[in-house]
Amino acid sequence: MTRAVVTGSSGFVGKHLTSRLASQGQAVVALDVVTGAPAENVIPTRADLRDKAALDSAVEGADVVYHVASRVQTRHTGADEVFAINVGGTRNLLAACRDKGVKKLVYVSSASVVYDGKDVENGDERLPYPSSFHAPYAKTKAQAEEEVLAANGKGGVLTCAIRPHVIFGPGDTRFLPAILGRAKSGKLKAYVGSAEKLSDFTYVDNLVDGLLLAADKLVEGGPAAGQAYFVTNGEPMAFWEFVGRVLDGIGHPRPKVQVPYPIAYGAAAVREWLDAVRGIPTSEESLTRFAIRYLTTHHYFSHAKATRELGYRANVDLREGIARTIAALRA
């Protein structure tokens, strides 16, 4: 029986990946700081990425590690902890894999690792990492990805990275719930962005497909070793049109008032500065400067490399993915 480790197994993507692997008959070490109940083929394991000894124990005997866990944060306060988890934790995991003879590590990265605040239209893997980043999350994910790819083949561990963008689907605990919470409370009156600026989205089952394909291709002499791949639905849509379709489906009105970029960005900057001065963390549910840049630029990508080298395709299209998401939210 193949033995897999999934870090961040209690999170949105981690749960879907753990469930898929277990349903295929693999033994899954479900690793997180918060563990769930045992299930068939699932071994809940409590460990912090900052604890190398705990990781050594968790990955021993594993054939493949899927590194899903990370701290998602676009505000600038508390960046040291984001670095310790996203970069330091990844270093610990790579070292644990080398020390315990794990052969494969698939890293869940992010399309934001190439985002420099400007339009990205049909971007591919030739895009460089930016010289500067607009959020700790993007910076630390890029650094961790770079170190994962550089570690390929060292100590016998083959590595690759998968870059999704705006993951959605049933079980989402962060993206749509934050927006819908504001809609239900009547606070979602205005929006920032433009119908002309397009975003990519990734239905969670498609991302899981991409991760499993990457693990299959992660072999000596195979195409995936040391490579990064964009994995999205490949159907760019204006961000607020996507959100609007979900709001329509659950009976909430779309926001109708558009806030100009300079006003929104200035207000976000002031709020982040005041929060930093007062030592109060800026809520991730509020619009940060990073989020406002995202909403006012193109950011969509080509998954042609993943299709060509991994055999990836978006098996669930955007329309179907939105319908499944709405059904889950209604339930």
Side-chain angles (χ1 to χ4, degrees):
M1 178 184 287
T2 300
R3 187 178 181 90
V5 174
V6 176
T7 72
S9 59
S10 296
F12 172 37
V13 174
K15 283 183 177 178
H16 280 267
L17 176 59
T18 297
S19 177
R20 179 82 70 85
L21 291 167
S23 72
Q24 294 177 345
Q26 298 191 43
V28 187
V29 176
L31 188 154
D32 210 317
V33 292
V34 178
T35 56
E40 186 176 3
N41 296 331
V42 177
I43 308 160
T45 304
R46 188 185 303 274
D48 191 305
L49 290 173
R50 293 166 290 187
D51 184 347
K52 169 63 163 55
L55 296 180
D56 283 345
S57 177
V59 306
E60 189 162 15
D63 299 289
V64 57
V65 170
Y66 296 92
H67 184 20
V68 184
S70 67
R71 172 64 62 84
V72 180
Q73 180 173 306
T74 61
R75 55 182 167 83
H76 290 268
T77 54
D80 289 346
E81 185 176 19
V82 181
F83 180 89
I85 294 170
N86 292 358
V87 179
T90 299
R91 290 172 179 169
N92 286 340
L93 190 61
L94 283 167
C97 288
R98 288 192 292 266
D99 292 345
K100 296 300 178 179
V102 179
K103 299 300 183 184
K104 302 179 183 183
L105 183 143
V106 180
Y107 177 59
V108 179
S109 184
S110 167
S112 66
V113 300
V114 298
Y115 182 66
D116 64 357
K118 302 182 181 69
D119 287 334
V120 179
E121 301 179 65
N122 209 36
D124 62 24
E125 291 79 5
R126 292 172 295 183
L127 288 170
Y129 298 122
S131 58
S132 62
F133 292 86
H134 299 281
Y137 174 71
K139 182 176 182 178
T140 56
K141 291 296 283 186
Q143 185 169 344
E145 180 193 275
E146 190 171 22
E147 293 188 17
V148 165
L149 299 181
N152 178 61
K154 296 178 180 177
V157 186
L158 299 178
T159 65
C160 67
I162 299 297
R163 298 170 172 176
H165 189 64
V166 191
I167 308 162
F168 75 102
D172 172 20
T173 57
R174 184 177 180 276
F175 164 44
L176 285 174
I179 293 171
L180 297 177
R182 294 184 65 82
K184 289 178 181 178
S185 66
K187 295 179 180 178
L188 191 63
K189 304 292 188 183
Y191 67 95
V192 181
S194 166
E196 297 176 358
K197 297 296 183 179
L198 304 178
S199 174
D200 249 333
F201 300 88
T202 310
Y203 186 67
V204 63
D205 285 357
N206 293 336
L207 172 56
V208 171
D209 290 343
L211 294 172
L212 299 184
L213 287 166
D216 286 343
K217 297 292 186 180
L218 199 53
V219 295
E220 289 285 355
Q227 296 297 308
Y229 298 91
F230 289 108
V231 166
T232 73
N233 265 61
E235 301 172 83
M237 179 183 290
F239 179 86
W240 286 108
E241 174 59 26
F242 175 92
V243 171
R245 293 188 184 189
V246 176
L247 291 172
D248 293 345
I250 58 174
H252 288 295
R254 299 188 183 201
K256 294 181 171 60
V257 179
Q258 184 181 37
V259 179
Y261 170 81
I263 294 174
Y265 189 84
V270 169
R271 175 167 181 170
E272 288 186 64
W273 178 78
L274 287 173
D275 287 347
V277 169
R278 294 180 294 180
I280 301 172
T282 302
S283 169
E284 285 296 305
E285 293 185 6
S286 62
L287 286 180
T288 61
R289 287 172 289 173
F290 177 81
I292 289 168
R293 281 195 184 95
Y294 244 53
L295 292 172
T296 53
T297 52
H298 288 298
H299 36 97
Y300 57 93
F301 307 86
S302 168
H303 60 66
K305 181 181 175 183
T307 298
R308 182 174 66 251
E309 297 185 3
L310 305 181
Y312 170 77
R313 63 189 297 268
N315 290 310
V316 180
D317 66 23
L318 202 58
R319 182 184 296 274
E320 175 63 19
I322 291 172
R324 293 184 187 183
T325 302
I326 289 170
L329 289 167
R330 284 174 171 170

